């Protein structure tokens, strides 16, 4: 596609809708977790309680990931509003439609993301992790 067609009105509308739908889905799942926690009866036997606590631990971990994803979605929606969506925060180059379709919250192009991951790996290695 010609460079001037990148992140046109139709593409921005598509990604805004996609992000809003994903956000709504995540919000619904978080509400389910909250409802599960609120509805649990504490008088269950020890085995039931232990099973519930393990399920709860896994649910809370997933809820934490989803809460962070909601924050990333909100940031992507703000970039759409500001006209920065689809462009690498580091280089200013287009991120590319295929990458955005795969990860609509992407803020870095592939090259910048790879550099970031190499730095993280280097720092983890230096710390002995």
């Amino acid at each position: 596609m010609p460079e001037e067609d990148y992140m046109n009105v139709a593409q921005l509308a598509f990604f805004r809708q996609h992000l809003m739908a994903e956000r709504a889905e995540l919000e619904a799942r978080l509400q389910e977790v909250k409802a599960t926690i609120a509805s649990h009866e504490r008088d269950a036997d020890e085995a039931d309680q232990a099973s519930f606590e393990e399920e709860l631990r896994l649910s809370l971990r997933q809820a934490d990931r989803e809460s962070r994803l909601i924050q990333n979605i909100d940031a992507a929606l703000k970039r759409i509003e500001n006209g920065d969506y689809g462009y690498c925060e580091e280089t200013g180059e287009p991120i590319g439609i295929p990458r955005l379709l795969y990860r609509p919250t992407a803020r870095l192009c592939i090259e910048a993301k790879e550099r970031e991951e190499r730095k993280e790996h280097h720092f983890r290695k230096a710390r002995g992790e």
Side-chain angles (χ1 to χ4, degrees):
M1 103 179 76
E3 202 172 299
E4 60 271 2
D5 286 344
Y6 182 71
M7 284 301 118
N8 61 37
V9 174
Q11 291 170 347
L12 289 172
F14 169 81
F15 283 109
R16 180 182 295 113
Q17 179 61 37
H18 183 68
L19 288 162
M20 295 293 287
E22 188 173 355
R23 190 182 196 293
E25 188 178 307
L26 291 168
E27 285 284 342
R29 284 203 302 257
L30 287 172
Q31 289 303 320
E32 287 175 18
V33 170
K34 288 178 186 178
T36 300
I37 293 169
S39 69
H40 178 64
E41 296 179 20
R42 302 263 182 229
D43 297 337
D45 69 21
E46 287 183 30
D48 287 345
Q49 185 66 29
S51 176
F52 173 77
E53 287 175 6
E54 180 62 19
E55 287 176 26
L56 179 63
R57 185 182 69 77
L58 294 172
S59 293
L60 289 174
R61 205 163 128 196
Q62 182 67 25
D64 181 53
R65 278 191 216 111
E66 290 172 350
S67 294
R68 282 181 280 158
L69 182 52
I70 287 173
Q71 291 172 353
N72 290 340
I73 288 171
D74 289 343
L77 290 168
K78 186 170 286 269
R79 287 193 303 275
I80 288 174
E81 288 175 27
N82 297 339
D84 298 330
Y85 184 79
Y87 294 92
C88 180
E89 290 180 357
E90 187 177 300
T91 66
E93 294 295 315
I95 292 173
I97 300 294
R99 177 158 165 72
L100 290 170
L101 287 171
Y102 181 73
R103 181 154 327 266
T105 58
R107 52 183 192 73
L108 298 173
C109 62
I110 290 287
E111 295 80 17
K113 184 64 177 170
E114 288 173 346
R115 278 192 301 274
E116 182 181 80
E117 288 175 354
R118 279 193 300 271
K119 275 188 211 174
E120 288 173 2
H121 176 72
H122 174 74
F123 288 125
R124 279 195 307 269
K125 198 172 176 182
R127 289 188 303 218
E129 290 182 13

